[in-house]
Amino acid sequence: MAVALVTLVRGEDPTLLNDTVRALIHEAAGDEDLSLGLDDFSSDDYEIAAAVDAAQTPPMFTTKRVVVARGLGRFSSSDLESLLGYLTEPSPTTTMILTTGGGVVGRKVVDAVKKVGAVVESGAPSGKARSGWVSERLNESSLRFDGRATLRLSEHLGDDLGRLAGILSVLGAVYGDGARIGVDELEPFLGSAGTGAPWDLTDAIDRGDTSAALDQLARQVGAGERHPLQVMGSLQGHFLRMMRLDGAQCRDENDAARALGIAGSTFPAKKALAQSRRLGSNGIARAVSLLAQADLDLRGQRDIPGDVVLEVLVARLSKLPAAGSRR
């Protein structure tokens, strides 16, 4: 079934919400190359107008464009005017996927989406219906679970069904598609970590903790199954904020928030300002250079697997704080 031109995904569990978005992305893209046709806006300071501009831009190297705008709840009603305008006549060559988060999404947006697309709930059932939901997801996977393994996994997850995708991803990587999974094969991986939040990765990089940064990266592109370009977008936004503050003569986090155009909490601006000062101009320039080369590699300039590109990038970025402190 074709995905609607515009879909709003609602849900409180971030993992289940991301799973739903990921499924919609792949269904909308079909056989298209996601590295060429996907724009994913997920940073904590992107502007909704930028996502609308991307949605209105005709595709270049693909027949369709997929635009994801996450966390609509953090935007004010005035911020969302451009989105409401777009929803009156969405582009026929763009599939736009919106997600809640960061606050309450107003009725005007929900009603506007319903007129041209669909509203999808990403939650999972509880109680007796939970076992049926788990069994259905296991049947949809490439693995073959026996009855005892299905029951064990359902009991282990309880109501924390958001961890299911991470466990399936690890099992698939270890045993391969089509493998038969019994309790003995399942048990060692029941404690596998699920996906981490984007800021867990950037926080580890800022601390200069290479081991923790690589662990967070593995969670995001492994258990979390985020596309490498999504991770790249998060890293680019993180360091570009520092670049905008470098030389801006900001006295405190309030000045930094104004320079970055961040409304509400000044905490992201405070973090960006502190790290900008720690790295210095040379460190920021080096980070931007590393990001630019890695972005080109992810888009095919060199024949290097995407996970390897990201691992090398994250390791190098995490070494920058130590170099900055020595200077």
Side-chain angles (χ1 to χ4, degrees), residues 69-287:
R70 302 174 187 263
L72 291 191
R74 72 177 181 84
F75 293 105
S76 66
S77 57
S78 60
D79 292 333
L80 293 171
E81 286 300 322
S82 60
L83 175 62
L84 290 171
Y86 174 79
L87 293 176
T88 62
E89 191 175 355
S91 170
T93 58
T94 296
T95 296
M96 192 171 203
I97 302 170
L98 311 169
T99 77
T100 56
V104 178
V105 176
R107 188 80 239 169
K108 290 176 66 176
V109 173
V110 175
D111 290 343
V113 169
K114 287 181 177 179
K115 289 181 180 179
V116 296
V119 176
V120 175
E121 304 293 340
S122 64
S126 59
K128 293 182 178 180
R130 184 182 64 222
S131 296
W133 186 90
V134 172
S135 296
E136 184 179 343
R137 296 301 179 275
L138 296 185
N139 290 334
E140 293 171 353
S141 77
S142 62
L143 303 169
R144 302 174 66 184
F145 289 79
D146 65 25
R148 291 179 60 239
T150 299
L151 180 60
R152 176 72 181 95
L153 183 54
S154 179
E155 291 175 345
H156 177 78
L157 291 174
D159 290 328
D160 189 14
L161 299 179
R163 296 189 60 239
L164 178 59
I167 293 176
L168 290 178
S169 176
V170 173
L171 290 172
V174 173
Y175 296 114
D177 291 346
R180 293 178 178 271
I181 305 296
V183 172
D184 290 342
E185 290 78 20
L186 172 67
E187 199 69 40
F189 301 98
L190 288 179
S192 298
T195 183
W199 53 84
D200 290 334
L201 172 59
T202 52
D203 283 351
I205 290 173
D206 289 349
R207 293 195 307 271
D209 190 337
T210 303
S211 177
L214 290 174
D215 177 67
Q216 289 299 329
L217 175 64
R219 292 188 181 198
Q220 293 190 24
V221 299
E225 294 186 358
R226 297 186 76 205
H227 191 277
L229 286 175
Q230 293 176 261
V231 178
M232 174 61 71
S234 177
L235 293 174
Q236 287 173 336
H238 183 67
F239 282 94
L240 287 176
R241 284 195 292 273
M242 298 180 205
M243 186 175 71
R244 290 170 61 183
L245 293 177
D246 185 38
Q249 305 299 319
C250 295
R251 294 170 298 176
D252 53 29
E253 62 195 75
N254 294 315
D255 286 347
R258 283 190 289 270
L260 295 174
I262 297 177
S265 173
T266 59
F267 183 65
K270 180 180 179 180
K271 290 172 61 177
L273 180 61
Q275 191 65 8
S276 174
R277 290 171 173 171
R278 184 181 182 190
L279 291 182
S281 298
N282 291 339
I284 294 171
R286 174 60 176 158

